[in-house]
Amino acid sequence: MSTLDSLTLTRIPAQDEALRAEVRAFLAEATRDIPAHIRARSWSGYSTEFSRRLAAKGWLGVTLPQEYGGGGRSAFTRYVLVEEFLNFGAPVGSHWIADRQSAPLILKFGTEAQKQFYIPRVCRGEAFFCIGMSEPNSGSDLASVKTRATPNDQGFVLNGQKIWTTNAHHCQYMIALVRTSGTPEDRHKGLSQVIVDLSLPGVTVRPIEDLSGDSHFCEVFFDNVQLGADALIGAEGQGWEQVTAELAFERSGPERLYSSIVLFDQWLQYVRTPEGRTDSARQLAGKVLTQLAPLRAMSVSVQEKLTQGASPIVEAALVKELGTTLEQMIPAAIAEDLFSRDAEDVPVELLQTLKYVTEASPSFSLRGGTRDILRGMIARGLGLR
């Protein structure tokens, strides 16, 4: 029994839930030989081969229209897929952003030519995207972006820099938030989103090594990069509204609850053994599950709002804030439990997984919006500021 089996406060529609058994059977075989400390990377794990296996089963772009190569199924079908990918620690990082954000964004705001070109490639696992939002010296102040796309007779000339760009060194494309008019002091005005082919002359991508020794993040430099007129996605100057709506997809999903789930499941397996079972461990397991179950219910509720076409920005921020707090609590609490025991009684593989998740956990409350930013959004939504 996995942790997910205990989280049934909110049920997903039966026709979508029916897919779960097939997905579990596939993932059990596909991840069987991957050690837990590697599976703990999950949506940071990168495997184009694995993404294309999922595409062959029709599990990429599952919510996108069939006319563009998608599955034409509901958002809850994708929710089931994502939950199980995370639950098994599947290496889904290569297609993660394209499937979650980029293709839906292009479907909503793109031209027909952009839809015809990019979306089928995403659904086949052939086109991977990164997101160009953060910039140096801006902290979490997204509206202060300085990277500029200046219109010319061929389209736009792009200059500037992005940072903390996940998997840019593996992706073919970036959707970047840039300034197409005005100055950084104009804040939300004059911002647009452009699709950047990362193979163009003038683009330089430099991976950044993190505490764990992985290189998920990158710096991306643009030096007089010539973009075509068809690089603009949506309306010029409407980038802030577009990117704000896009972030609701990023902040409310299961990945904001389950970043520590492989570690938690592995620890639970140990606690179920005679050597691992203690009263304090059982109390800790209950404490985690009683927080995780209502958070999942909230996440599913936000998914319902997204399905209805709403833009639940504050609700999504609340799920991410509470979710990442729990994600960070799990490795700290498990470390306290394991380090209170005799070292020879604890499985080495469990300690390796704990090491990785502990090193990665500070980033949980940074990616997709920092804790301070999200709390500000929640306070504003409640009329407190």
Side-chain angles (χ1 to χ4, degrees):
M1 186 179 79
S2 74
T3 300
L4 288 188
D5 294 317
S6 304
L7 308 178
T8 55
L9 285 181
T10 299
R11 295 196 180 277
I12 287 175
Q15 65 271 24
D16 304 302
E17 190 67 47
L19 181 63
R20 196 180 297 275
E22 179 185 353
V23 178
R24 285 188 175 184
F26 171 83
L27 292 173
E29 183 279 328
T31 63
R32 181 181 54 203
D33 298 325
I34 306 176
H37 73 277
I38 300 297
R39 289 190 289 107
R41 286 159 169 81
S42 195
W43 62 280
S44 295
Y46 188 89
S47 170
T48 56
E49 179 187 355
F50 188 82
S51 292
R52 286 170 186 153
R53 288 185 68 186
L54 299 182
K57 296 189 72 66
W59 292 346
L60 297 193
V62 71
T63 64
L64 299 170
Q66 292 179 335
E67 64 184 293
Y68 299 117
R73 300 187 64 172
S74 84
F76 286 112
T77 301
R78 184 177 181 277
Y79 200 96
V80 169
L81 286 167
V82 171
E83 276 199 311
E84 294 303 331
F85 293 160
L86 298 169
N87 188 36
F88 279 84
V92 292
S94 51
H95 70 265
W96 195 254
I97 290 170
D99 181 79
R100 181 182 68 186
Q101 288 174 246
S102 306
L105 181 80
I106 291 169
L107 179 68
K108 185 172 184 178
F109 297 108
T111 64
E112 184 59 32
Q114 288 171 333
K115 296 174 189 176
Q116 294 282 354
F117 182 81
Y118 292 107
I119 296 177
R121 287 169 170 78
V122 170
C123 296
R124 294 195 299 265
E126 297 173 355
F128 305 131
F129 282 73
C130 57
I131 302 169
M133 291 189 189
S134 299
E135 295 193 1
N137 304 315
S138 292
S140 295
D141 186 9
L142 185 60
S144 69
V145 298
K146 298 177 181 176
T147 296
R148 180 174 292 275
T150 305
N152 67 359
D153 57 359
Q154 299 177 57
F156 301 90
V157 176
L158 183 63
N159 282 286
Q161 180 186 354
K162 296 293 179 179
I163 195 168
W164 311 124
T165 309
T166 302
N167 271 337
H169 53 324
H170 293 308
C171 294
Q172 298 100 335
Y173 304 104
M174 169 192 286
I175 293 182
L177 181 68
V178 300
R179 194 162 293 283
T180 48
S181 62
T183 69
E185 286 70 31
D186 292 327
R187 306 291 294 165
H188 302 163
K189 299 178 181 176
L191 295 172
S192 302
Q193 287 183 294
V194 292
I195 302 175
V196 183
D197 181 338
L198 296 175
S199 68
L200 287 171
V203 177
T204 302
V205 179
R206 295 180 185 167
I208 301 170
E209 187 172 297
D210 64 20
L211 185 64
S212 68
D214 291 339
S215 297
H216 303 304
F217 299 127
C218 295
E219 295 177 286
V220 185
F221 301 87
F222 308 109
D223 182 11
N224 289 319
V225 179
Q226 179 64 58
L227 304 178
D230 59 356
L232 179 68
I233 181 167
E236 193 277 330
Q238 294 299 308
W240 182 259
E241 289 77 8
Q242 292 176 195
V243 82
T244 301
E246 177 188 350
L247 283 170
F249 287 97
E250 180 177 350
R251 289 172 173 164
S252 63
E255 63 267 41
R256 303 307 179 195
L257 311 178
Y258 298 152
S259 297
S260 302
I261 199 72
V262 170
L263 170 65
F264 184 64
D265 265 338
Q266 193 183 15
W267 174 77
L268 275 183
Q269 291 175 17
Y270 170 62
V271 171
R272 292 188 181 108
T273 66
E275 297 78 18
R277 186 178 297 115
T278 65
D279 288 342
S280 61
R282 294 170 65 186
Q283 289 171 3
L284 174 58
K287 180 180 179 181
V288 171
L289 288 169
T290 53
Q291 293 185 54
L292 195 52
L295 273 172
R296 179 181 186 260
M298 292 169 64
S299 175
V300 172
S301 297
V302 173
Q303 185 62 67
E304 175 68 26
K305 287 181 177 291
L306 290 169
T307 302
Q308 295 170 352
S311 185
I313 296 169
V314 174
E315 294 92 331
L318 185 61
V319 171
K320 181 182 182 297
E321 160 59 9
L322 295 174
T324 53
T325 298
L326 178 62
E327 287 179 327
Q328 290 177 329
M329 182 274 274
I330 290 173
I334 289 177
E336 185 175 348
D337 171 65
L338 295 183
F339 294 157
S340 69
R341 304 165 183 258
D342 291 334
E344 59 269 23
D345 292 339
V346 180
V348 172
E349 177 65 17
L350 175 56
L351 292 175
Q352 286 182 299
T353 307
L354 174 62
K355 176 179 181 295
Y356 169 74
V357 177
T358 299
E359 290 172 342
S361 62
S363 70
F364 297 169
S365 55
L366 297 175
R367 58 195 186 191
T370 66
R371 176 161 288 139
D372 290 345
I373 292 294
L374 294 171
R375 289 181 176 178
M377 293 172 63
I378 295 165
R380 191 178 301 113
L382 295 174
L384 301 176
R385 57 177 296 198

